[in-house]
Amino acid sequence: MLLVDMLCLTHKLSDRLASRDNSTQYKDDLNQLFYRLRSIFPRSEFKDVSLGDLKKNLWEKRAELQGLVKFSTYTLRDDEGMTLRANTAVTTDDLAGSERIAKSLAEFDTDSAYCSDSNVYFKIVAGEETLKEIHVLLNGEDNEFAVTAAITEEEYEFVLRQVLEHN
């Protein structure tokens, strides 16, 4: 079974968990899921993958990815807990197009700063036309992302490919 196939299957199974999500039960339910599937998917064969590089890479490559990614929020945090958050005024705006935002974030972005969360939209395009924007939250646990609305399996696979490719 291919990794992407396994991830899609895991996504389908964890969708049911996510619909019951609360801060304590979700992790317990996920552990229970792995326990039940231990003969097929041993938990020891899975490792958490940080999405820190994804958040950083998407922002650093924002100019070349403007046809693929739109940013609505981007938050930097340093080791002292100080944060700098950039937000768009309306959902149709894109932070990547603001030179002032880029300069502010660059000023704050030191060796000890990292992106703690970001809201992005992955764009499905055909030619010059954007067919759909899929809102993805890059926050929570370091290895988690969330799609904010119901999407098709093909759309989820598209998002997953972007996450894997840019991480």
Side-chain angles (χ1 to χ4, degrees):
M1 185 178 280
L2 296 173
L3 174 62
V4 171
D5 292 336
M6 290 183 355
L7 290 171
C8 286
L9 176 60
T10 303
H11 165 71
K12 288 175 189 174
L13 294 171
S14 66
D15 262 352
R16 299 205 186 277
L17 297 177
S19 67
R20 297 177 41 207
D21 186 11
N22 72 34
S23 61
T24 57
Q25 270 194 326
Y26 178 76
K27 286 185 179 187
D28 292 341
D29 288 349
L30 187 60
N31 287 334
Q32 184 66 18
L33 172 72
F34 271 112
Y35 178 77
R36 288 182 178 171
L37 297 175
R38 67 188 178 277
S39 64
I40 302 169
F41 300 113
R43 179 66 172 123
S44 61
E45 305 227 352
F46 288 83
K47 65 177 184 167
D48 291 343
V49 175
S50 169
L51 297 179
D53 286 343
L54 171 69
K55 297 173 202 176
K56 182 179 179 180
N57 291 336
L58 290 177
W59 181 254
E60 286 181 353
K61 298 176 183 177
R62 65 191 175 280
E64 66 189 75
L65 296 175
Q66 230 168 351
L68 175 68
V69 180
K70 180 177 80 174
F71 291 85
S72 63
T73 65
Y74 193 82
T75 305
L76 288 175
R77 179 180 307 274
D78 68 13
D79 288 342
E80 297 173 5
M82 302 283 211
T83 62
L84 179 64
R85 182 175 182 93
N87 298 302
T88 58
V90 293
T91 58
T92 55
D93 288 344
D94 185 355
L95 290 175
S98 173
E99 202 52 43
R100 290 182 325 204
I101 293 295
K103 286 180 182 178
S104 295
L105 291 170
E107 185 71 27
F108 188 82
D109 194 9
T110 63
D111 290 338
S112 68
Y114 61 96
C115 177
S116 61
D117 66 81
S118 183
N119 288 338
V120 299
Y121 292 81
F122 286 108
K123 302 175 187 179
I124 297 176
V125 297
E128 296 292 316
E129 182 183 1
T130 300
L131 303 176
K132 185 170 187 173
E133 293 181 343
I134 302 171
H135 188 194
V136 176
L137 302 175
L138 299 172
N139 56 18
E141 297 293 324
D142 197 37
N143 63 320
E144 293 179 338
F145 70 91
V147 177
T148 63
I151 58 174
T152 67
E153 183 175 345
E154 292 81 19
E155 290 168 340
Y156 181 79
E157 288 175 1
F158 168 77
V159 169
L160 183 59
R161 275 194 311 274
Q162 301 313 311
V163 167
L164 294 172
E165 180 179 332
H166 297 288
N167 193 29

